[in-house]
Structures are given as C-alpha cells and as structure tokens.
Amino acid sequence: MDLKQLLNKEQYEAVCHKDGPLLILAGAGSGKTRVITYRIANLISAYGVEPGHILAVTFTNKAAGEMKERIRSVIGKKAEEIWMSTFHSLGCRLLRQHADVLGYTKAFSIYDEDDRERLVKECMHQAKVSDKDMKPNQIIRYISDIKNQLLSPAQFEEIASDYNNKIVSRVYGIYEEKMKRNNAMDFDDLIKKPIELFDARRDILDAYREKFRYILIDEYQDINNSQYTLVSMLAEKYRNICVVGDDDQSIYRFRGADITNILEFEDDYKDAKVIRLEQNYRSTKNILRAAHSVIRNNKGRKDKELWTENNEGGKIVFYYTDDEIAESEAVLHEVDRLMRVSDVSLRQMAVFYRTNAQSRVIEDRFRRAGLPYKLVGGISFYGRMEIKDLLAYLRIVSNPHDIISFKRIINVPPRGIGDASIDRVEENAMEKGISFIDGLLDAASVADIKDSVKNTLVRFGTFIKHLHDNKSNMKLQDIMKEIISRTGYLEYWMKDTSVKARDRVENIKELVSALSEYEEGNAGASLEDFLNQVALISDVDKMDDKAEAVTLMTIHSAKGLEFDVVFLTGMDEGLFPHKNSIDEPGGIEEERRLAYVGITRARKKLYLFSAVSRRQYGTKKLGQISRYINEIPPELLEHKGRMPVKTVEEKYLKGSIEDTISDMEPEFDMPVDVAPTYKPGQKVKHKKMGAGVIVKIEPHGDDFKLTVNFKAHGKKVLSANHAGLEKI
C-alpha cells in the first residue's frame, strides 16, 4: 500500500501520525473518511497496533458500517476487532456489559421520544404539574440539557432557581425513579450512565483506558458536553486521541453540541498536532467560492479556505419565485430538464429544506408528476403504529420491568382492561416490591378489580412470562409469530376493511421477515441485539442509496452526504435563517454554518430558491430574501424567475423607466398578512409627479407605504390607499 500515491501531502501526514493528540481540520469534501480509514489501517499494518485497541466513533451507524467495510477491504478480517460505532452504540455496548453495577439489568429498554413523552406525562401527573405550566416536550428538552450537564436530580434541585427550573426539578426526580424502576434508559442515559459507571468503578474505567489505546472521533465539532467528558475519560492514559472535524460545519447546537470543543482542542491538549485538509475533491470552483463567501462572515471560526483542482462549473442558479408552489414547480422543472438534457440520474439529485413542514408542497408536486422520490425523516417502518406495538411486545418479553411498553399494548388488541385496573396492579407491584409482570400474575390478590379482568391480566402475564423464560431457546421470528398468533393482533387488523388496515397487515408480515433476515445475517444474535439495532437506527441510516429517486430531506439530515445536484429551497429571512435563531446569541452564525453545509453537499450544480410570499397558517405572507444569498457575490449567480428589487433600483437609476423589468420584486423589510393591490416593480403614474416605478412595499397599519421612484422627482413614499396611482 503506497500511501504517498493514494493521498495528498496533508492527508499523508495525518495518516502517518502515530502517537499523541491530533486535530484534523477537515473541510467539506476534503477526503476525511479516506484519511480516517487509512489512518486506522496504517496503525494496524505499519505500526502493529492491535485492532482491539482502537476505538473509532462516528455520528451515524451508516458511516460506521461504511468505514469498517473500507478498512476490511484494506486489512481483511482484523477489521472486525475494531470498536467502531456511534456514541450511543458505544454507550449501549458498555452498559449491556456493566448495567448491573448501576442497578439495572443488561436487558434494559431504550426509550424513544414517544416513550419519554408517555413517561413524562405520568411524572407530571404525579408531581401535580399541569401542561398549562409547561408542555411535556418542553420538560423533555430541559431534562436532556440537564443530563448533558451530567447533573443528578439532587444536584439540579440545588441550583434550580427560576419558575421553569423548579417545575422541571419536581418532574426530573420522579422521571429518574420511574426510569430505574422500568429498567429503562433514554438516549441521554446512553452517554451519561457510562460516565456514572466509570465514576463508580475506577477499575472498569482503567480496563477500558488500557483497551482503547488509540481513539478516533469523527465530526468532533458536533459533540456535546457529556460526549466530550466520556471521550476525555477514556483518552486520559495514552492520550492518543485523533479528532476530525470542521468548525464551519457545527450545526447541532439544538442537541447540545458545543463548538468550543473543537475550537479549544489545542487548549485541552497543549502538545496537539494540527493538520488542515483544505483541498476539496467534491465540488466545482464556483460552488466553493459561494460557500466561502457565506461562511467567512462568521467570527467564531478557525481561518481556512477550501480550494479545488476541479473545473469552474456553472454559476449557482438563483430562483426567485412567487410562492412555495411556484418554487416546487421550478424544482420539478429543473429535475425533469436535468434528466432529459443532461442525463443526471434521479438518485444524484437532492432537495433540501430548513424545516420538515416545507416538504409537503414539494412532495405533492412530485406525486402529481409521478416523479419518484424518497423522503428522509418521514415516518419510518419502525416508527409506524403497528410496528411500534409489536416492538413493545418484544421489549416486555426482553425486559418485564418495562411498564411503559406494558401500558402501550395491554389493550392492543382490546382486552377490556381499564386504566384504573392497570393503576391498581402497578400500585400493588410497587407496594410488594415486585416487577410489573409479577404484579400481573398476582392480580387475583388486588382489590377493586373485576374477576373477569383479573383472569385476563393473569393470562396475559403468564403468556409474557412464558416467552421471557424461553426467549433464549426460540428464534426471534418464532417469538414474534407466537405474539401475533396468541394475541390475535394480525387477525384484529385483518377484520378491518380499510385501506390503511391492509397496509398494516402487510407491515406486520414484513416485520416477521425483518426478524428472519436479521437472524440470518447475525448468527447468535439475541433479542436484545435486535432491539438495540432498531432503537439506535437513524433516518440517514435507513436511506436507500441505490433507489432511483430524488432525495428530499432537511439540511440537518444532509450532513455527511453529497449529490451531483442540490436544490436548496426556502432561503427566506425568518425561515432560513430561522426566526427562532435570529435573536439567539450565536444563532445567526449557527444558521450560516447550516447554509454552508447545504451548499457544500453539491458536487456539480447548485440551485438556491427564495419566494416573494409563502402561506403560513393558511395566510399568505410576504417575505425577504435570505441574507445568506445576499452574501454570495452577484457574479457567481444566474438569476431565474423574478429578480430582487436592488436590481430594479440600480437599473432604474442608470436608465429610464422603459429600461426596467416590470416583474422584478423587492426585498421586503417585514412580512405582511395580505398582499397589496400594487406590485413591486410595477409602472405607475401620478397626477402631479408623472411616471414612476414601485420599488418597495411596507405595511403601515391597515395601509401600505409605497416607495415610488419617479422619473422627474426621484423617490417618494406614498400611501397605497390615498396616492391615487394609475397603473401603466
């Protein structure tokens, strides 16, 4: 393996670095995956490092799988010994081995957001907190932030001073108690609990420090405080930590990501070697120029500028459309044209948007046109109601303490068991210190429950206990088949004649196939292994790269991906940058990094879209072109559709009214609820001042202020209702 032939100078330097801390500042499209792959392979083949002494952490299972496959192609079967996973998969793996130290069993459940919300609602009820005080999803966000700060309920209670924090403190304590009782972890726990484990058992920490002598962390700019702490603990002994990232692509602050982790790496490790990867292999020169012209406006960044030996490429196409419908039709038109004229495949095209809600109009237009698309971030197979029901059955077979899963399916299909009866069983179980499943078996001793209901509860508990006791001797698909058969779940949906029910029946059958397929590909895998995989899979992990369809996704989901053609829609002030970010400290810079990520996903062609107006809550509102478009030099842009007002003004001032373009549109200063009668760029005539062009419209109470550039009198501001303008 001649690395000098395979890598550029900086890549080679990064790959050959052996001991000590290393910071690789890898710009978009600079070959960072290639560098990580060859670095790991080189550590093993050239330096004799045992594969089992290497820990590599990525942000998606998809990336981890692809990277391991690449390494396997270089060094063979030894690649299997490398610990390569996401942060959450790493935490899960550690906890499956040592959960008992923290008072959990190794069969703990992993709660998703739906499960957390169900539990938080229970905790709020117990804490006498109304959703008028705080919404459950707000409390969930607070709890995530608290866990990221590594605070226990008692520690948080001490510092909780304002109204919201005190409310959250009451709920948080109950939430943690119930999570422990349910033998359950949430996603934040998968990072926080290993840290608690290492704090409690220094010998376990020392063992893993000895094991992980070389640590590589990808996307380091996106790690949060708890992830930073976990990595720091593991790296402390050997300090052979290599982090790869790009501060310009830090876009997950809403998840707790802290950009200072990468900006201050050299403070944490004074002897760190820093290598910059600035040669881009992905995009054209024009795309990179546009990206740099945007990101250079950020103050909190390390100085760097990507360059490429790729061709100039075409200009960035800027579409300024009437509304979101016209925007989606323009996207559809360009997709069709690129297919026919340029022979671009559908799978090499992607449409990005800032929020998931924006996809509706685009999806609608694609469906009408019969154009294939795949939606990333929609309801996945494992997120469908019937699949989540059956997974809940599997979870209680694995973990009989999981009350949330019990409650989800105790009446699915309907068994005539009321909430009051379930509450009494739970109370009895808590009083006797037994699991919920043992509580079901003990239902006969519970007062205030009908005998028929008691019998049903005992039968259900007996069935689940039978599966739990025999799960290690049964195939996964057989467990599921018995659940479906004994509960009548499939029959229940087959009796329903609706189209939706037919889809559910097919999905149920597909789940059995999925279990069979999983067993074939993972010999000796347990029920817990399967549940781990399902719980930890992300939207990007589920993408079908080979499907001949246009990809629709948020820009956040597009991180790490690339396409020949990218359509970046909804670039309006208030939408992108999002209105929630504008007044937040660092919000505009975070959104600008997001724009940078979106731009740099494009290999050959980039389209940007903004609209004069968009419908919000059923009402059309005028908008303003995103500042990020205005940061791109005009010579890099090719305009299509309408044109911004500054072009109108510049053109008018240099020539005559006859030289202006009548359909040009302005940058509006603020949104308004109702479009005025007059149109920006429209020619008008005034009784005294003569001919002119409307260059700006601003709301003014129940009226509108019109800025009109008159040929004889210059710019004047007039009332739309009282100006008496005549349209030319």
Side-chain angles (χ1 to χ4, degrees):
M1 182 171 66
D2 189 350
L3 293 175
K4 285 190 174 180
Q5 294 296 316
L6 295 168
L7 306 166
N8 67 34
K9 177 176 174 290
E10 290 75 21
Q11 290 173 335
Y12 179 80
E13 190 178 0
V15 166
C16 293
H17 176 88
K18 183 174 182 285
D19 294 329
L22 173 65
L23 169 61
I24 303 174
L25 291 170
S30 62
K32 67 165 182 152
T33 304
R34 186 179 185 86
V35 168
I36 296 172
T37 300
Y38 280 112
R39 175 168 168 76
I40 293 173
N42 196 57
L43 285 171
I44 297 167
S45 59
Y47 297 125
V49 176
E50 290 294 323
H53 287 321
I54 298 174
L55 169 65
V57 182
T58 66
F59 261 72
T60 67
N61 292 296
K62 184 182 178 72
E66 289 174 353
M67 199 172 291
K68 187 169 251 186
E69 191 58 42
R70 289 194 191 187
I71 295 169
R72 189 184 291 111
S73 68
V74 178
I75 65 170
K77 291 183 179 180
K78 285 185 178 180
E80 295 301 323
E81 301 172 35
I82 302 166
W83 275 51
M84 183 169 288
S85 67
T86 64
F87 269 108
H88 291 109
S89 295
L90 169 65
C92 186
R93 189 171 178 180
L94 293 171
L95 291 167
R96 291 291 182 205
Q97 295 184 33
H98 306 288
D100 56 318
V101 174
L102 300 174
Y104 295 79
T105 79
K106 296 176 183 180
F108 61 82
S109 298
I110 301 173
Y111 281 0
D112 63 16
E113 289 305 298
D114 287 344
D115 301 320
R116 292 184 79 179
E117 187 169 347
R118 286 169 181 258
L119 187 59
V120 164
K121 285 179 178 177
E122 286 188 12
C123 298
M124 289 172 66
H125 179 73
Q126 189 173 327
K128 295 181 170 53
V129 173
S130 165
D131 61 3
K132 292 180 180 177
D133 298 316
M134 285 188 81
K135 300 295 181 187
N137 60 350
Q138 290 177 289
I139 293 177
I140 289 171
R141 286 198 296 272
Y142 268 88
I143 290 174
S144 284
D145 289 341
I146 295 164
K147 289 190 175 186
N148 183 33
Q149 297 171 49
L150 303 174
L151 297 173
S152 68
Q155 290 169 326
F156 183 69
E157 187 179 11
E158 284 184 13
I159 63 173
S161 55
D162 64 25
Y163 177 77
N164 284 352
N165 282 336
K166 286 180 178 179
I167 287 177
V168 173
S169 180
R170 284 157 54 192
V171 176
Y172 180 37
I174 299 169
Y175 176 85
E176 288 293 88
E177 288 173 9
K178 285 182 176 286
M179 288 289 286
K180 188 113 181 233
R181 193 183 308 138
N182 292 2
N183 191 37
M185 308 265 189
D186 58 32
F187 277 83
D188 301 308
D189 287 327
L190 297 181
I191 310 298
K192 182 173 180 284
K193 295 298 181 184
I195 295 170
E196 291 179 10
L197 168 69
F198 291 155
D199 283 336
R201 289 283 299 274
R202 179 64 186 238
D203 59 321
I204 296 176
L205 172 60
D206 287 342
Y208 282 108
R209 281 175 171 170
E210 188 63 31
K211 180 175 180 57
F212 300 136
R213 301 184 184 186
Y214 290 86
I215 298 174
L216 296 93
I217 311 294
D218 192 16
E219 305 287 0
Y220 193 72
Q221 76 281 349
D222 287 324
I223 68 170
N224 60 29
N225 177 63
S226 56
Q227 292 164 338
Y228 169 84
T229 302
L230 180 61
V231 170
S232 299
M233 292 175 86
L234 290 170
E236 187 174 299
K237 181 175 182 179
Y238 286 98
R239 302 179 76 255
N240 294 324
I241 178 170
C242 169
V243 303
V244 185
D246 181 7
D247 53 298
D248 288 336
Q249 297 185 71
S250 179
I251 60 173
Y252 292 116
R253 190 174 63 158
F254 65 96
R255 294 181 187 168
D258 187 351
I259 193 173
T260 61
N261 289 324
I262 191 168
L263 295 176
E264 296 176 0
F265 183 84
E266 295 160 87
D267 294 330
D268 293 337
Y269 300 91
K270 302 293 186 186
D271 55 338
K273 185 177 182 64
V274 182
I275 297 173
R276 286 173 165 80
L277 304 182
E278 295 178 302
Q279 183 175 358
N280 176 283
Y281 295 91
R282 176 188 299 159
S283 306
T284 65
K285 286 185 173 68
N286 276 338
I287 290 171
L288 288 187
R289 287 168 186 150
H292 182 67
S293 69
V294 173
I295 199 63
R296 70 182 177 185
N297 292 283
N298 273 4
K299 306 297 183 193
R301 62 185 294 266
K302 290 182 176 289
D303 186 43
K304 56 189 168 304
E305 183 174 354
L306 297 183
W307 61 276
T308 186
E309 293 178 349
N310 294 341
N311 59 39
E312 292 284 323
K315 289 186 176 184
I316 288 83
V317 179
F318 171 40
Y319 264 98
Y320 192 46
T321 64
D322 287 334
D323 53 26
E324 70 274 18
I325 295 173
E327 178 181 78
S328 62
E329 288 173 346
V331 171
L332 194 66
H333 166 76
E334 290 293 340
V335 168
D336 180 65
R337 187 185 64 80
L338 288 164
M339 272 197 309
R340 289 185 293 101
V341 178
S342 303
D343 200 30
V344 181
S345 68
L346 291 177
R347 68 174 179 271
Q348 285 301 339
M349 291 187 265
V351 182
F352 298 161
Y353 33 80
R354 177 63 179 82
T355 65
N356 276 305
Q358 293 168 251
S359 74
R360 184 198 59 81
V361 178
I362 301 168
E363 283 187 79
D364 182 58
R365 292 303 178 277
F366 272 58
R367 279 196 301 269
R368 290 186 188 182
L371 197 70
Y373 70 91
K374 53 190 175 187
L375 183 67
V376 178
I379 297 177
S380 68
F381 177 77
Y382 292 108
R384 292 165 185 167
M385 183 193 77
E386 62 278 12
I387 302 302
K388 293 196 73 167
D389 286 346
L390 292 173
L391 289 176
Y393 274 104
L394 289 180
R395 283 184 3 185
I396 60 176
V397 169
S398 169
N399 173 25
H401 298 276
D402 188 351
I403 300 175
I404 290 295
S405 292
F406 264 111
K407 288 181 176 179
R408 179 182 180 100
I409 48 80
I410 195 76
N411 266 317
V412 181
R415 298 185 176 92
I417 303 170
D419 291 342
S421 297
I422 297 169
D423 290 342
R424 286 292 300 121
V425 171
E426 185 179 1
E427 289 167 9
N428 180 61
M430 288 174 61
E431 288 169 5
K432 294 183 177 180
I434 59 179
S435 69
F436 189 76
I437 192 169
D438 289 331
L440 291 174
L441 298 174
D442 190 50
S445 70
V446 181
D448 302 325
I449 300 179
K450 292 179 181 178
D451 288 344
S452 60
V453 174
K454 289 180 180 180
N455 293 334
T456 301
L457 290 169
V458 171
R459 283 198 304 271
F460 184 76
T462 303
F463 167 59
I464 297 299
K465 192 171 190 310
H466 159 73
L467 289 178
H468 174 72
D469 292 343
N470 293 279
K471 63 185 173 80
S472 57
N473 302 317
M474 297 175 70
K475 289 184 176 180
L476 299 185
Q477 59 179 306
D478 291 339
I479 296 174
M480 180 51 64
K481 285 177 180 177
E482 190 159 348
I483 289 170
I484 291 170
S485 172
R486 293 280 296 275
T487 63
Y489 191 81
L490 181 62
E491 186 182 356
Y492 170 71
W493 286 113
M494 288 178 72
K495 288 178 180 177
D496 191 328
T497 58
S498 67
V499 175
K500 190 172 284 187
R502 289 200 296 271
D503 289 341
R504 298 194 194 283
V505 168
E506 293 304 313
N507 289 334
I508 293 166
K509 293 176 180 177
E510 182 60 28
L511 179 60
V512 178
S513 299
L515 284 160
S516 174
E517 185 181 309
Y518 178 78
E519 284 184 299
E520 287 179 11
N522 300 272
S526 66
L527 174 58
E528 288 73 33
D529 292 332
F530 175 75
L531 291 172
N532 281 354
Q533 177 184 277
V534 172
L536 299 174
I537 198 167
S538 70
D539 292 331
V540 174
D541 293 330
K542 294 175 291 219
M543 271 185 62
D544 183 1
D545 295 332
K546 297 178 181 178
E548 194 56 37
V550 180
T551 301
L552 274 55
M553 64 198 319
T554 65
I555 310 172
H556 282 101
S557 298
K559 182 73 172 296
L561 304 177
E562 57 184 54
F563 301 88
D564 282 352
V565 182
V566 166
F567 301 92
L568 192 46
T569 63
M571 297 200 69
D572 310 340
E573 286 289 310
L575 187 56
F576 194 15
H578 197 274
K579 60 184 179 183
N580 293 343
S581 303
I582 292 175
D583 295 325
E584 287 183 5
I588 290 296
E589 294 212 348
E590 171 97 353
E591 292 283 290
R592 186 175 281 111
R593 291 192 293 270
L594 188 60
Y596 177 81
V597 166
I599 292 169
T600 55
R601 298 313 91 194
R603 286 194 284 255
K604 298 176 181 179
K605 195 71 177 174
L606 175 65
Y607 293 81
L608 307 176
F609 293 81
S610 184
V612 175
S613 66
R614 291 181 191 271
R615 195 174 295 278
Q616 299 178 30
Y617 301 106
T619 303
K620 278 210 168 185
K621 294 189 175 184
L622 298 179
Q624 183 179 353
I625 296 170
S626 170
R627 68 189 71 192
Y628 305 139
I629 288 178
N630 290 327
E631 289 171 356
I632 298 173
E635 62 269 20
L636 295 180
L637 297 175
E638 174 189 347
H639 293 270
K640 289 192 177 184
R642 297 177 177 271
M643 298 285 285
V645 71
K646 63 183 177 183
T647 309
V648 176
E649 294 188 64
E650 289 168 1
K651 199 169 182 70
Y652 178 80
L653 292 171
K654 292 176 183 177
S656 66
I657 290 177
E658 285 71 30
D659 294 325
T660 62
I661 301 173
S662 63
D663 64 353
M664 291 179 176
E665 298 289 346
E667 298 178 67
F668 295 101
D669 290 338
M670 61 182 289
V672 296
D673 291 330
V674 182
T677 304
Y678 299 101
K679 298 289 185 183
Q682 190 174 60
K683 298 175 188 177
V684 293
K685 186 176 181 181
H686 190 269
K687 286 183 179 179
K688 293 184 178 178
M689 286 177 281
V693 174
I694 298 174
V695 295
K696 184 182 287 187
I697 300 176
E698 299 173 277
H700 185 68
D702 296 329
D703 196 1
F704 294 90
K705 291 193 296 184
L706 306 179
T707 302
V708 184
N709 208 340
F710 291 102
K711 186 177 180 181
H713 298 274
K715 287 185 183 179
K716 302 291 182 182
V717 179
L718 307 173
S719 163
N721 290 337
H722 306 289
L725 294 173
E726 179 186 343
K727 299 173 189 176
I728 300 177

